[in-house]
Amino acid sequence: MTVLEQPGSSRNTSSLAGPPPSWQPRTDPAPLLPDPEPYRLLGTDAAARLDSGLLTRLYTQLVRGRRYNAQATALTRQGRLAVYPSSTGQEACEIAAALALEERDWLFPSYRDTLAAVARGLDPVQALTLLRGDWHSGYDPHEHRIAPLCTPLATQLPHAVGLAHAARLKGDEVVALAMVGDGGTSEGDFHEALNFAAVWQAPVVFLVQNNGFAISVPLAKQTAAPSLAHKAVGYGMPGRLVDGNDAPAMYEVLGEAVQRARRGGGPTLVEAVTYRVEAHTNADDATRYRSAAEVEAWRAHDPIALLERELAARELLTDAFVDDIKEGAEQLAADLRERMNADPALDPMDLFTHVFAEQTSQLRAQASQLRAELDAEAAGHTEDAAGAGGVAEEARP
Amino acid sequence: MTVLEQPGSSRNTSSLAGPPPSWQPRTDPAPLLPDPEPYRLLGTDAAARLDSGLLTRLYTQLVRGRRYNAQATALTRQGRLAVYPSSTGQEACEIAAALALEERDWLFPSYRDTLAAVARGLDPVQALTLLRGDWHSGYDPHEHRIAPLCTPLATQLPHAVGLAHAARLKGDEVVALAMVGDGGTSEGDFHEALNFAAVWQAPVVFLVQNNGFAISVPLAKQTAAPSLAHKAVGYGMPGRLVDGNDAPAMYEVLGEAVQRARRGGGPTLVEAVTYRVEAHTNADDATRYRSAAEVEAWRAHDPIALLERELAARELLTDAFVDDIKEGAEQLAADLRERMNADPALDPMDLFTHVFAEQTSQLRAQASQLRAELDAEAAGHTEDAAGAGGVAEEARP
Amino acid sequence: MTTTVPATARKPATMAQALTRAMRDAMADDPSVHVMGEDVGTLGGVFRVTDGLAKEFGEDRCTDTALAEAGILGTAVGMAMYGLRPVVEMQFDAFAYPAFEQLISHVAKMRNRTRGALTMPLTIRVPYGGGIGGVEHHSDSSEAYYLATAGLQVVTPATVEDAYGLLRAAIASDDPVVFLEPKRLYWSKADWSPDAPTEVAPLGRAAVRRRGSSATLITYGPSLPVCMEAAEAARSEGWDLEVVDLRSLMPFDDDTVCASVRRTGRAVVVHESNGFGGPGGEIAARITERCFHHLEAPVLRVAGFDIPYAPPMLERHHLPGVDRILDTVARLQWESDWTAGGGE
Amino acid sequence: MTTTVPATARKPATMAQALTRAMRDAMADDPSVHVMGEDVGTLGGVFRVTDGLAKEFGEDRCTDTALAEAGILGTAVGMAMYGLRPVVEMQFDAFAYPAFEQLISHVAKMRNRTRGALTMPLTIRVPYGGGIGGVEHHSDSSEAYYLATAGLQVVTPATVEDAYGLLRAAIASDDPVVFLEPKRLYWSKADWSPDAPTEVAPLGRAAVRRRGSSATLITYGPSLPVCMEAAEAARSEGWDLEVVDLRSLMPFDDDTVCASVRRTGRAVVVHESNGFGGPGGEIAARITERCFHHLEAPVLRVAGFDIPYAPPMLERHHLPGVDRILDTVARLQWESDWTAGGGE
Ligand SMILES: Cc1ncc(C[n+]2csc(CCOP(=O)(O)OP(=O)(O)O)c2C)c(N)n1
Ligand SMILES: Cc1ncc(C[n+]2csc(CCOP(=O)(O)OP(=O)(O)O)c2C)c(N)n1
Ligand SMILES: [Mg+2]
Ligand SMILES: [Mg+2]
């Protein structure tokens, strides 16, 4: 009688009322939603429960980190670094990311996160190799379990997921912490990485440093979301919103996420609300796109100042203590300056060494060509074999 | 005294307590969250308020749509279509998508959505040109404002956003409705499109047909989200969850989203919970990955059956009414069959006509080459100029 | 991989079966080999090339992923960093494009970037080419993109035996391999024993598939059978054509190719991919650089036209066929009374 | 675009300024021209090439987008469908890779797919090439990918005048243009009047930049100044080199190139992008096909090595320089006593 008598249709209309058959909410969204306000400890009552040892440890690292940033920027002015994207103002995020991990864990830094790598134990000179320009990556990632600093934005996030997943398949309790900027969350790779992580329940912590800008583009042109942490619910993982300048809050939230991941609880998305106090890099002119007043407001919410206030309240901020830390930081800077002032040893023939495990005949031929050119150069026949060695200073964005 | 006396830091610590300065939740997430259960009208008390005219209109379209699907699948068995991805079981989504739009609006169908295009007025033969194989797209997109059927998944979504944004910039009140499958939501382009739409407040409606599978991959391997509609909150747009087999519910929800977009309210993400009753395409073997019981349960929740029940309760499902509709559907099918049985007129020289507006000298030379080959073939010198004309039947996934 | 099998043990097998068997054997030999991609598990892949792997090795070793190619390749990079040996399937060539950034900016560069500390023993299987009646985006020939990317090995079998041998070699390689599978040869058959695979040639060696003296056809993948047919047909025109199957486009076997061309003095490169900017330009240029004074005529090319891939009903006009190859061979300046003016 | 300016009105301008001016003028002439990309608005682009456009035309005409290249190009496709003429900036060549699927599967195919009903008057500006001391991923030469994609026009200026003229022509074209801007020439200067731009050559025409009789250097974009320098230096070796600037790689100007090579009898193709699978293969192959019997020597190539782009401190060894060009010219078999054996 009805149309459903046609082939391919069913006459069984008994269960017609009711929801679609295989529909079932698999996760309750409520616990995945971030708090409406960034989580803070400093300046709140909860600060009282914080361990002084932790606070001084964080403080020491923040101060060293700030000094490291300042020194690296100075090296660009001296022509010792091609470019430096400073994390000044974001040190609480960088340090907390490094300290939240155990040795066996892996860190996946973005191009701005040399400080997190250094705080994890990487030699600062090796961390800056990429930016000095003698090689693409200055360290063996296996040594400290730090993936190469990643320039193409958000592309390191699926790597972190794959590595964490592989570790889990092998039965290793390894957690991967991957860092990305607010701008990077707009990339397709961010989406695909978070989705894979959630489906696989991979032990990954995604740390978004929302520093307000992607170069010149403010957050409001990047997203209309209530917060970046709210993206978590769309993947079925918890989102956490934290004051990224509150070092103990960052440390606590990242630590919890790392533990959750290690226990098999799956991934977490953490948004740290912070600010890029300096320009995008030394080559950028931030006055083109933001006001001094905005920067000043954030300097007043400085991660070091926030922590100093708490330390001062605990009467821990003695001259001796501060001097000691400053001295250590100065030493770090002096050492870095000195070592970066030495010209790196470079062998142009390295260009061919690591393209493949086994050199192809084509590369062997090209290597001989370069060898001959270098020999000719050494013999003084030519001064500038490339004719393109001059680097326009303005050409470095 | 403190570290902040270093250059680059601020001594102003007055506003240290309190949240980060420029932090401000810009959207309240609550209204963006979808209902926990798919929205339904049929089988609920709310069905009473539905207009009978609308119901019979929807019913007519559903029946014709089902018949169209059946005919198209039959054409694959007769070798008249290379492949057909049927939307049997999903007709309520397809029809509602077409009817929710005004003439000036644009539809962005995926490769499975020929029915939506046909319901919007496109000639079924033109809609099937891609799948018959005589050309890539069989229609002028401007005629009915239907973008070409899109095969690379989710790539049509940014197009919809761009078009809607452009229309808005020109002051036209045009809405774009873009269709994508549950699997397609995992692609980076889904993410980027929704984000652009939300930032631009573009008048776009994203319709996700969650039919449970991406070819063989079930939803649980695709996402861990509470629902796909929950992804909306991460972009700052409202998410709606609907029973995709409830035609009036689909029509209502899409209609509301279209109106909202037209009024300048920005994009909406609609997840329709439905089921792909047939195999992925005629070439697929669905028994490899799902049980007959699951399919049967969904046949019992069939969109046509759901609507028939309501029509019957209203005593509208008379023999005359049903016969009339069936006859119309049969006519549609007969017409389609007949026209698809005619071999399409093909001119191989068309291969060169539309690569560029102005043919390059290279293409002119290649066109002459083909012209010469065709002439030789016509002269009977050669039978099969390509030597590669044989198409392995099994090679069509 | 070094056992040689008596011909008696051989029976007809398809290229698809040989590929399946290669993955199966690699997974059995090495627990770090993981297969992943869209529909590769339960379904066994839309071409059934991974059929049975999930059943035999479990879903953790042969994994149905979410539908996101950059995510698939990107997570495979991370898995490789942790010591696994992922074998990634891209469902169709055009659907590898979303993964290009991962491929170009990471897969191809990782060893070099880290001075060998991080290696990418990844195999990326890409069904490629046309001739199967696929709708648009299902028949692209994307090899030119891979060839232009330093750090990738690019390999493609044209025979059932090579399908097994080259895929085993690709999976065993410590460097990334884009493994291009000619779709329309998936069901090509040959006598081959899946139970005792034959010797595996190393990557980077071309094979002379037919000896000849008049001219050399240089080809690979889906065009090999067409070239073999053309070489047969050429006999009646008085041409005795040699046919070289490149098998590996990178590394490129200059020795085998040049030895052949130096002997015959004439060459035609044949491939399906667009002519302009396609592999044929590189191949013709390097032959000319190396064998100029042995050439009686310019190296010519027979390739797909410089158009988006043709719709199914017209694809036979687009694909290089026997007649187009023979027409081109005829242009190799056989007459002694040739006068200046170039190949056109 | 057809006014000719007296030389007196000319003053030094950079290539970046000429590009800015081209967009400005196109936007002023045609309200459907929209500029979009990362940081193109308020900042004026990281290379300042869009400087001032947002101020003059508003943010709706020159839009800072979210950070997502596929999204940028994908939305631009939709905008083009609605009749706009988007000019998209990719911040650096390697950051165009995420947009490849949109480029290959849609931008390049849309006109053909719809039999001309939907056109893609899109210009995709891609700063390319090295020599600026950029860290990895900032110095790729990606032109081979675009050339291998049927349906794309590929254009690159090497002079300040062409920067203006070619960009105007690209924006005016009803078909998509990948407009490759040589990063290291952004600050190159020439006497040129931004206030009364000179005549604009149509796309697809090469320019002979230097007349010569011994051999032809064929090049484009960042390598043009190097070739001009090499041609100067060659004089002391007794070679009078002709230099052809291709300007447009697709459409390709076979006529100008072949006319030159037929005259000189020798040719070297010079580009920065990797040699293997790079544009040079195509160029050398098509010259050889067309001019074989005019060639005294095989067409040779000077290109970047087949390696991931070199780190800044080593890039001068990677880039084709004057000496490498001259060494290659020297291999063009000038001796009459040349004996067989090929170019190697
Ligand atoms: C895929 C890609 N596109 C563009 C760029 C160029 N780029 C470098 S940094 C940057 C802004 C990044 O912003 P965000 O993610 O917020 O990180 P932040 O710089 O604030 O740390 C851009 C656009 C890039 N590196 N990668
Ligand atoms: C980018 C891309 N990757 C892979 C494919 C191959 N493919 C075609 S349909 C399909 C499944 C799509 O699933 P879904 O999005 O849920 O839509 P449905 O088929 O259920 O309508 C796949 C993987 C494709 N077309 N495009
Ligand atoms: Mg940022
Ligand atoms: Mg689906």
Side-chain angles (χ1 to χ4, degrees):
Chain A
M1 164 70 69
T2 72
V3 166
L4 291 182
E5 289 163 29
Q6 293 184 31
S9 301
S10 162
R11 254 153 297 174
N12 167 10
T13 51
S14 56
S15 65
L16 276 181
S22 57
W23 168 256
Q24 25 164 323
R26 280 158 307 145
T27 334
D28 178 8
L32 307 180
L33 286 167
D35 295 339
E37 291 293 317
Y39 181 70
R40 294 187 294 125
L41 287 171
L42 296 177
T44 76
D45 294 345
R49 68 164 155 80
L50 290 167
D51 174 59
S52 287
L54 171 68
L55 297 183
T56 54
R57 196 165 145 237
L58 287 170
Y59 182 73
T60 308
Q61 291 288 339
L62 291 184
V63 172
R64 291 170 65 90
R66 170 86 32 110
R67 189 65 191 87
Y68 163 83
N69 273 325
Q71 184 56 57
T73 298
L75 286 167
T76 63
R77 285 191 296 269
Q78 293 144 21
R80 284 296 172 182
L81 268 185
V83 65
Y84 184 66
S86 172
S87 58
T88 296
Q90 305 177 215
E91 291 92 346
C93 302
E94 299 282 321
I95 297 301
L99 300 193
L101 294 178
E102 295 181 9
E103 243 189 84
R104 56 182 161 173
D105 297 332
W106 273 76
L107 180 74
F108 285 77
S110 87
Y111 75 105
R112 192 180 294 289
D113 305 312
T114 54
L115 175 53
V118 168
R120 186 164 164 74
L122 184 64
D123 175 356
V125 172
Q126 291 184 5
L128 293 173
T129 298
L130 169 76
L131 302 165
R132 176 164 63 178
D134 46 318
W135 201 256
H136 306 295
S137 179
Y139 52 93
D140 177 351
H142 289 290
E143 196 182 336
H144 297 279
R145 284 153 306 284
I146 303 173
L149 297 161
C150 188
T151 299
L153 297 167
T155 55
Q156 73 277 24
L157 305 182
H159 304 171
V161 177
L163 182 135
H165 178 59
R168 194 147 159 262
L169 289 178
K170 286 196 177 182
D172 300 344
E173 292 195 332
V174 166
V175 175
L177 189 152
M179 305 175 75
V180 68
D182 47 315
T185 65
S186 296
E187 291 281 5
D189 275 18
F190 172 86
H191 176 68
E192 301 190 9
L194 268 74
N195 193 42
F196 272 69
V199 170
W200 285 343
Q201 287 292 291
V204 190
V205 179
F206 299 98
L207 169 57
V208 177
Q209 287 189 62
N210 170 6
N211 63 4
F213 289 90
I215 308 186
S216 69
V217 179
L219 188 65
K221 289 186 187 172
Q222 202 67 247
T223 180
S227 81
L228 296 169
H230 277 85
K231 292 184 183 290
V233 64
Y235 304 102
M237 69 175 77
R240 300 289 310 266
L241 187 60
V242 201
D243 182 339
N245 288 11
D246 182 331
M250 280 301 302
Y251 181 75
E252 184 183 303
V253 168
L254 289 179
E256 282 170 13
V258 167
Q259 275 169 46
R260 190 170 170 275
R262 201 181 311 279
R263 282 196 317 264
T268 304
L269 172 63
V270 177
E271 174 186 355
V273 180
T274 180
Y275 196 78
R276 198 194 70 214
V277 169
E278 299 191 346
H280 168 61
T281 68
N282 53 294
D284 175 43
D285 174 8
T287 63
R288 280 188 163 237
Y289 52 81
R290 67 188 189 184
S291 70
E294 182 180 302
V295 180
E296 273 317 302
W298 274 94
R299 282 197 199 272
H301 193 69
D302 185 276
I304 297 183
L306 286 179
L307 196 47
E308 281 184 347
R309 204 174 119 118
E310 180 63 30
L311 289 172
R314 295 183 185 212
E315 296 183 355
L316 292 169
L317 204 65
T318 62
D319 280 6
F321 173 71
V322 172
D323 287 349
D324 194 43
I325 291 173
K326 277 164 80 168
E327 199 189 300
E330 286 307 326
Q331 249 164 37
L332 172 94
D335 179 62
L336 178 58
R337 196 168 49 234
E338 194 188 307
R339 290 172 59 212
M340 292 292 288
N341 275 334
D343 285 325
L346 281 176
D347 181 0
M349 297 311 294
D350 276 1
L351 290 175
F352 300 99
T353 315
H354 301 292
V355 182
F356 293 112
E358 241 180 286
Q359 221 164 61
T360 61
S361 62
Q362 289 81 29
L363 285 173
R364 270 196 304 274
Q366 293 171 27
S368 318
Q369 186 190 347
L370 180 58
R371 165 61 45 225
E373 289 177 7
L374 294 170
D375 290 349
E377 218 178 300
H381 290 316
T382 59
E383 290 308 332
D384 179 13
V391 171
E393 192 56 45
E394 321 90 298
R396 290 178 185 143
Chain B
M1 164 69 70
T2 73
V3 167
L4 292 181
E5 288 163 32
Q6 294 183 29
S9 299
S10 161
R11 254 152 296 174
N12 166 10
T13 51
S14 56
S15 66
L16 276 181
S22 57
W23 167 255
Q24 22 163 320
R26 281 157 307 145
T27 334
D28 177 9
L32 307 180
L33 285 166
D35 295 338
E37 291 294 316
Y39 180 71
R40 293 187 296 124
L41 287 171
L42 296 177
T44 75
D45 294 345
R49 67 164 156 82
L50 290 167
D51 174 59
S52 287
L54 171 68
L55 296 184
T56 54
R57 195 167 144 236
L58 287 170
Y59 182 73
T60 308
Q61 291 287 343
L62 291 185
V63 171
R64 291 170 65 89
R66 169 90 26 115
R67 190 64 190 86
Y68 163 83
N69 273 326
Q71 184 57 55
T73 298
L75 287 167
T76 63
R77 284 192 295 269
Q78 292 144 23
R80 283 295 172 183
L81 269 185
V83 67
Y84 185 66
S86 173
S87 58
T88 296
Q90 304 177 217
E91 291 91 348
C93 303
E94 298 283 320
I95 298 301
L99 300 193
L101 293 177
E102 295 182 10
E103 242 190 84
R104 56 182 161 173
D105 296 332
W106 273 77
L107 180 74
F108 285 78
S110 87
Y111 75 104
R112 192 180 294 288
D113 304 313
T114 54
L115 175 54
V118 169
R120 186 164 165 73
L122 184 63
D123 174 356
V125 172
Q126 290 185 8
L128 294 174
T129 298
L130 169 75
L131 302 166
R132 176 165 63 179
D134 46 318
W135 201 258
H136 306 296
S137 179
Y139 52 93
D140 177 350
H142 290 289
E143 196 182 335
H144 297 279
R145 286 153 305 284
I146 302 173
L149 298 161
C150 188
T151 300
L153 298 168
T155 56
Q156 72 277 22
L157 306 181
H159 304 172
V161 176
L163 182 135
H165 178 61
R168 194 147 160 263
L169 289 177
K170 287 197 176 182
D172 300 344
E173 291 195 331
V174 166
V175 176
L177 189 151
M179 304 174 76
V180 68
D182 47 312
T185 65
S186 296
E187 291 281 3
D189 275 18
F190 172 87
H191 176 69
E192 301 189 11
L194 269 74
N195 193 44
F196 272 68
V199 169
W200 285 344
Q201 287 291 291
V204 191
V205 178
F206 299 99
L207 168 57
V208 178
Q209 287 188 63
N210 169 7
N211 63 4
F213 288 89
I215 309 187
S216 70
V217 180
L219 188 66
K221 288 186 187 171
Q222 202 67 246
T223 180
S227 80
L228 296 169
H230 277 85
K231 292 184 182 290
V233 64
Y235 304 102
M237 69 176 77
R240 299 290 308 267
L241 187 61
V242 201
D243 182 339
N245 287 10
D246 182 331
M250 280 301 302
Y251 181 74
E252 185 184 302
V253 168
L254 288 178
E256 282 169 14
V258 167
Q259 276 170 47
R260 189 170 171 275
R262 202 181 311 280
R263 283 196 317 265
T268 303
L269 171 64
V270 178
E271 174 186 356
V273 180
T274 182
Y275 196 78
R276 198 193 71 214
V277 169
E278 298 191 347
H280 167 61
T281 70
N282 52 294
D284 175 43
D285 174 8
T287 63
R288 280 189 163 237
Y289 52 82
R290 66 188 188 184
S291 70
E294 181 179 302
V295 180
E296 273 317 302
W298 274 94
R299 283 196 198 272
H301 194 71
D302 185 275
I304 297 184
L306 287 179
L307 196 47
E308 281 185 347
R309 205 175 116 118
E310 179 63 30
L311 289 171
R314 295 180 185 216
E315 295 185 355
L316 292 169
L317 204 66
T318 62
D319 279 8
F321 173 71
V322 171
D323 286 349
D324 194 42
I325 292 174
K326 276 165 80 170
E327 200 188 300
E330 285 307 322
Q331 249 165 37
L332 171 95
D335 178 62
L336 178 58
R337 196 168 47 233
E338 194 189 307
R339 290 171 61 213
M340 291 293 286
N341 274 334
D343 284 326
L346 282 175
D347 181 0
M349 297 310 293
D350 276 2
L351 290 174
F352 300 99
T353 314
H354 300 293
V355 181
F356 293 113
E358 243 181 285
Q359 222 164 63
T360 61
S361 62
Q362 289 82 27
L363 285 173
R364 271 196 303 276
Q366 293 170 25
S368 318
Q369 187 190 346
L370 180 58
R371 166 58 50 225
E373 289 176 6
L374 293 170
D375 290 348
E377 216 177 303
H381 291 316
T382 58
E383 291 307 331
D384 179 13
V391 170
E393 193 55 45
E394 321 90 297
R396 290 177 185 144
Chain C
M1 288 204 281
T2 49
T3 342
T4 318
V5 195
T8 49
R10 299 173 169 230
K11 52 187 185 199
T14 65
M15 181 181 282
Q17 286 167 337
L19 293 166
T20 310
R21 180 60 183 240
M23 282 184 276
R24 196 221 145 263
D25 290 355
M27 291 173 89
D29 286 359
D30 181 350
S32 69
V33 176
H34 281 242
V35 170
M36 57 197 288
E38 293 156 10
D39 303 290
V40 298
T42 314
L43 186 66
V46 294
F47 292 105
R48 303 292 184 272
V49 176
T50 56
D51 199 16
L53 300 180
K55 209 168 200 173
E56 182 169 355
F57 299 100
E59 292 203 10
D60 283 347
R61 295 280 306 280
C62 179
T63 308
D64 279 331
T65 64
L67 214 170
E69 293 78 7
I72 295 169
L73 190 55
T75 52
V77 167
M79 291 164 70
M81 286 171 70
Y82 205 77
L84 300 188
R85 211 168 257 280
V87 180
V88 164
E89 174 174 308
M90 294 287 152
Q91 202 161 80
F92 283 85
D93 26 21
F95 308 144
Y97 303 156
F100 261 31
E101 184 186 30
Q102 286 291 342
L103 186 72
I104 300 172
S105 292
H106 288 296
V107 173
K109 292 184 164 70
M110 195 65 89
R111 172 189 288 275
N112 182 65
R113 161 196 288 155
T114 61
R115 295 187 197 254
L118 282 186
T119 60
M120 285 288 119
L122 266 169
T123 303
I124 302 157
R125 295 181 37 242
V126 185
Y128 82 122
I132 61 157
V135 300
E136 60 167 1
H137 308 293
H138 286 79
S139 297
D140 284 17
S141 289
S142 47
E143 57 268 36
Y145 304 128
Y146 307 119
L147 289 186
T149 307
L152 296 179
Q153 301 173 96
V154 184
V155 172
T156 180
T159 69
V160 174
E161 276 200 3
D162 271 2
Y164 181 89
L166 293 174
L167 185 51
R168 290 291 317 252
I171 296 173
S173 170
D174 285 336
D175 286 313
V177 178
V178 177
F179 191 85
L180 297 166
E181 301 175 359
K183 287 183 209 91
R184 64 174 149 131
L185 298 185
Y186 270 144
W187 291 272
S188 65
K189 279 202 174 114
D191 279 353
W192 173 78
S193 169
D195 292 316
T198 50
E199 212 162 319
V200 171
L203 300 179
R205 298 263 178 87
V208 178
R209 296 295 183 193
R210 187 186 195 281
R211 289 272 164 199
S213 56
S214 320
T216 305
L217 301 182
I218 297 153
T219 192
Y220 56 87
S223 295
L224 176 64
V226 189
C227 285
M228 295 301 279
E229 205 184 321
E232 272 315 301
R235 291 172 59 183
S236 62
E237 315 266 338
W239 294 313
D240 177 22
L241 301 183
E242 179 143 320
V243 179
V244 175
D245 172 7
L246 292 171
R247 305 203 289 191
S248 165
L249 299 173
M250 171 47 66
F252 190 88
D253 187 350
D254 283 310
D255 291 344
T256 302
V257 170
C258 289
S260 172
V261 176
R262 289 201 181 113
R263 217 156 15 76
T264 62
R266 290 178 169 87
V268 176
V269 185
V270 181
H271 60 62
E272 246 185 73
S273 126
N274 295 352
F276 193 88
E282 175 62 40
I283 297 168
R286 55 195 308 116
I287 292 173
T288 309
E289 282 160 6
R290 286 160 179 74
C291 316
F292 186 65
H293 289 271
H294 293 87
L295 288 174
E296 305 289 335
V299 180
L300 297 182
R301 295 179 281 169
V302 181
F305 294 125
D306 298 329
I307 59 174
Y309 194 85
M313 286 186 177
L314 294 175
E315 68 181 331
R316 76 182 189 93
H317 300 291
H318 175 63
L319 293 169
V322 169
D323 285 349
R324 203 170 289 159
I325 293 170
L326 295 181
D327 287 351
T328 308
V329 170
R331 292 199 292 117
L332 288 173
Q333 305 176 1
W334 303 95
E335 297 80 9
S336 50
D337 61 353
W338 187 90
T339 48
E344 278 196 318
Chain D
M1 288 202 283
T2 49
T3 343
T4 318
V5 196
T8 48
R10 299 171 169 230
K11 52 186 186 200
T14 64
M15 180 180 283
Q17 287 167 336
L19 293 166
T20 309
R21 181 59 184 239
M23 281 183 277
R24 196 220 146 266
D25 289 355
M27 291 174 89
D29 287 359
D30 180 351
S32 68
V33 175
H34 282 243
V35 170
M36 56 197 288
E38 295 156 9
D39 303 288
V40 298
T42 315
L43 186 66
V46 295
F47 291 104
R48 302 294 184 268
V49 175
T50 57
D51 200 17
L53 300 180
K55 210 168 200 174
E56 183 168 354
F57 300 100
E59 291 202 11
D60 282 347
R61 294 282 306 281
C62 180
T63 308
D64 279 332
T65 64
L67 213 169
E69 292 79 8
I72 296 170
L73 190 54
T75 53
V77 167
M79 290 163 73
M81 286 172 69
Y82 205 77
L84 299 188
R85 214 168 256 282
V87 180
V88 164
E89 174 174 307
M90 294 286 152
Q91 202 160 80
F92 283 85
D93 27 22
F95 307 144
Y97 303 156
F100 261 32
E101 184 185 28
Q102 287 291 342
L103 186 73
I104 300 172
S105 292
H106 289 296
V107 173
K109 292 184 165 69
M110 195 65 90
R111 172 188 290 275
N112 182 66
R113 162 196 288 156
T114 62
R115 295 185 196 257
L118 282 187
T119 60
M120 286 288 119
L122 266 170
T123 303
I124 302 157
R125 294 181 39 242
V126 185
Y128 81 121
I132 62 156
V135 300
E136 58 167 2
H137 309 293
H138 286 78
S139 297
D140 283 18
S141 289
S142 48
E143 56 268 38
Y145 304 129
Y146 307 121
L147 289 186
T149 307
L152 297 179
Q153 300 174 96
V154 184
V155 172
T156 180
T159 69
V160 174
E161 276 199 5
D162 271 2
Y164 182 89
L166 292 174
L167 185 51
R168 290 293 313 254
I171 296 173
S173 170
D174 286 336
D175 287 313
V177 177
V178 177
F179 192 85
L180 297 165
E181 301 175 357
K183 286 182 211 96
R184 64 175 150 132
L185 298 185
Y186 271 143
W187 291 272
S188 65
K189 279 202 175 114
D191 279 353
W192 173 79
S193 168
D195 291 317
T198 51
E199 213 162 319
V200 170
L203 300 180
R205 298 262 177 88
V208 177
R209 297 294 182 194
R210 186 186 197 281
R211 290 271 163 199
S213 56
S214 319
T216 306
L217 301 182
I218 297 153
T219 192
Y220 56 87
S223 295
L224 176 65
V226 189
C227 285
M228 295 300 279
E229 204 185 322
E232 272 315 301
R235 291 171 60 184
S236 62
E237 315 267 339
W239 295 312
D240 178 21
L241 300 183
E242 179 143 320
V243 179
V244 175
D245 171 7
L246 292 172
R247 304 204 288 190
S248 165
L249 298 174
M250 171 47 64
F252 190 89
D253 187 350
D254 283 311
D255 291 346
T256 302
V257 170
C258 289
S260 172
V261 176
R262 289 201 182 112
R263 222 164 4 82
T264 61
R266 289 179 170 85
V268 176
V269 185
V270 181
H271 60 62
E272 245 185 72
S273 126
N274 295 352
F276 194 87
E282 175 63 40
I283 298 167
R286 54 196 308 116
I287 293 173
T288 309
E289 282 160 5
R290 286 160 179 74
C291 316
F292 186 65
H293 289 271
H294 294 85
L295 288 174
E296 305 288 336
V299 180
L300 298 181
R301 296 178 280 168
V302 181
F305 294 126
D306 298 329
I307 59 174
Y309 194 85
M313 286 187 176
L314 295 175
E315 68 180 333
R316 76 181 190 92
H317 300 291
H318 174 63
L319 293 169
V322 168
D323 285 348
R324 203 171 288 161
I325 293 170
L326 294 182
D327 287 350
T328 307
V329 169
R331 291 199 293 118
L332 288 173
Q333 305 177 359
W334 303 93
E335 298 78 10
S336 50
D337 60 354
W338 188 89
T339 49
E344 276 196 318

